[in-house]
Amino acid sequence: MIGVQVDAIERGEDRIAFKETMTRLGIDMPKSEPAYTVEEAEKIAAELGYPVVVRPAYTMGGTGGGLVYNQEELRTVASRGISASRVGQILIEESVLGWEELELEVVRDEKNQMITVCFIENVDAMGVHTGDSYCTAPMLTISLNSRSVSRSIPTPL
């Protein structure tokens, strides 16, 4: 763990802590609720409407999660996700399938000075976990006019 604080990993991997952090920072997120059982997941998915994304806590690269379109798929993926999570926690999240995902790779030092290394475009539509997606750097389909970035410095987590 070079250059990473343990609490930052906690906030990134615990789905409840991550959502609370984003809410505190004023960052809009898809609607979601945590679940610890398949039955809880079914209730949440019914409220959100299908498709939904199942995101297990504390797994690398989205292991055990996925996009589900119906209750049968949800039961399978939720069960797998709960088993894969070291804390038995999954997040059931509304899908943003079809949206585009653009990433900025940023390096920040201990003085909070930052540089953008590159812009990355996820070629697959949103809803596919980044670890299962392929990306291009630089962006290929986004116009130069769309690439303007605010000069403000992001708030650290």
Side-chain angles (χ1 to χ4, degrees), residues 40-129:
E40 286 178 317
E42 289 175 329
K43 289 177 187 172
I44 296 164
E47 291 173 14
L48 294 176
Y50 289 94
V52 295
V53 179
V54 177
R55 297 187 186 277
Y58 297 98
T59 63
M60 295 300 293
T63 299
L67 180 66
V68 299
Y69 291 89
N70 56 54
Q71 190 175 33
E72 183 179 332
E73 290 177 355
L74 177 70
R75 288 177 180 149
T76 301
V77 177
S79 177
R80 183 178 65 208
I82 291 166
S83 294
S85 171
R86 70 176 178 87
V87 295
Q89 179 196 98
I90 57 175
L91 191 73
I92 306 301
E93 182 177 76
E94 76 176 316
S95 172
V96 291
L97 188 64
W99 290 24
E100 286 190 327
E101 183 175 359
L102 309 173
E103 298 179 29
L104 294 158
E105 293 297 320
V106 177
V107 175
R108 178 171 54 194
D109 68 14
E110 65 185 15
K111 296 177 184 174
N112 205 30
Q113 300 174 93
M114 293 173 247
I115 60 167
T116 301
V117 177
C118 66
F119 290 83
I120 297 175
E121 177 179 358
N122 287 57
V123 177
D124 296 323
M126 286 281 286
V128 176
H129 187 276

Side-chain angles (χ1 to χ4, degrees), residues 25-43:
L25 295 173
I27 298 172
D28 289 334
M29 298 281 297
K31 295 174 188 165
S32 64
E33 292 294 330
Y36 295 89
T37 67
V38 173
E39 293 75 22
E40 286 178 317
E42 289 175 329
K43 289 177 187 172

